[in-house]
Amino acid sequence: MSELHETFLDELKDIYDAEKQLTKALPKMAKAAEDDQLRSAFESHLRETEQHIDRLEQVFQQLDENVRGKKSKGMQGLIAEGQELIKEKEGDAALICAAQKIEHYEIASYGSLESWARLLGQERAARLLEQTLEEEKAADEKLNSIAESSVNREAHEYEEAEEERPRRSRAAAAR
């Protein structure tokens, strides 16, 4: 077996575990989201993530490999970071940032996997991986759109209002 084939299988196992971990994290992210659009995006991406797992299982079957994951330390770290933001109640803008880090991790993985599948002559696997790659890119764009259309602006306005409050208090005390 070639070194590229081994790397391909190793990364498949990593992203399989990463997607499994994400199915546990997304409901928590949805619950923590205050913005309805963001909550809906997380819920929708959970359904997509379940499809991603199904596609990965198809790829494993096409390769006559056992379906199993390898602990994805990268995803584990990204999810832990997101959970910390939830615990600290950092808000939707921070949640979007954490989610986009996850999307970029997945985009990098699926981009490499699709390319390697084509090089290894695994066209059916490449098509499945490409489909998931496009969905991950779309999820990232949706998060970006939600951030830019409302969430980031609302977070900024909230911070400005919070900064203004102490100034008013000091001004009133000086009178």
Side-chain angles (χ1 to χ4, degrees), residues 112-125:
S112 294
L113 285 167
E114 182 219 349
S115 174
W116 296 338
R118 290 196 195 290
L119 284 170
L120 294 167
Q122 300 291 334
E123 283 301 317
R124 287 176 46 215

Side-chain angles (χ1 to χ4, degrees), residues 38-156:
L38 182 56
R39 185 177 313 105
S40 176
F42 287 147
E43 291 167 349
S44 173
H45 197 58
L46 174 60
R47 290 186 294 277
E48 281 185 346
T49 300
E50 290 165 348
Q51 292 175 342
H52 300 167
I53 291 168
D54 289 342
R55 282 190 208 118
L56 287 168
E57 289 171 353
Q58 290 176 48
V59 171
F60 278 111
Q61 290 169 356
Q62 289 172 14
L63 299 169
D64 290 324
E65 292 287 335
N66 292 329
V67 178
R68 61 180 162 73
K70 164 192 114 170
K71 190 56 144 180
S72 176
K73 294 176 186 172
M75 184 61 77
Q76 190 174 24
L78 291 168
I79 289 172
E81 193 174 306
Q83 289 173 338
E84 184 69 23
L85 294 171
I86 292 168
K87 181 181 167 189
E88 298 295 325
K89 297 184 180 356
E90 293 291 330
D92 285 352
L95 265 181
I96 289 173
C97 183
Q100 285 190 292
K101 287 178 183 181
I102 289 169
E103 291 307 319
H104 291 202
Y105 180 86
E106 292 176 307
I107 289 166
S109 293
Y110 283 109
S112 294
L113 285 167
E114 182 219 349
S115 174
W116 296 338
R118 290 196 195 290
L119 284 170
L120 294 167
Q122 300 291 334
E123 283 301 317
R124 287 176 46 215
R127 285 191 298 275
L128 290 169
L129 295 164
E130 180 181 30
Q131 186 178 354
T132 300
L133 174 61
E134 293 308 314
E135 289 173 0
E136 298 294 7
K137 288 178 180 177
D140 181 54
E141 281 299 315
K142 182 171 190 141
L143 289 167
N144 206 43
S145 175
I146 293 168
E148 291 180 351
S149 68
S150 61
V151 170
N152 288 349
R153 185 173 41 256
E154 290 167 7
H156 179 67

Side-chain angles (χ1 to χ4, degrees), residues 155-172:
H156 179 67
E157 289 168 359
Y158 176 80
E159 285 177 3
E160 284 184 332
E162 287 296 305
E163 288 174 7
E164 187 63 29
R165 219 172 266 137
R167 282 187 231 145
R168 282 193 223 133
S169 297
R170 284 192 302 269

Side-chain angles (χ1 to χ4, degrees), residues 14-30:
D14 181 271
I15 197 66
Y16 183 75
D17 181 70
E19 296 285 21
K20 290 284 208 174
Q21 288 183 48
L22 197 51
T23 62
K24 295 178 181 121
L26 281 167
K28 295 173 188 171
M29 294 173 82

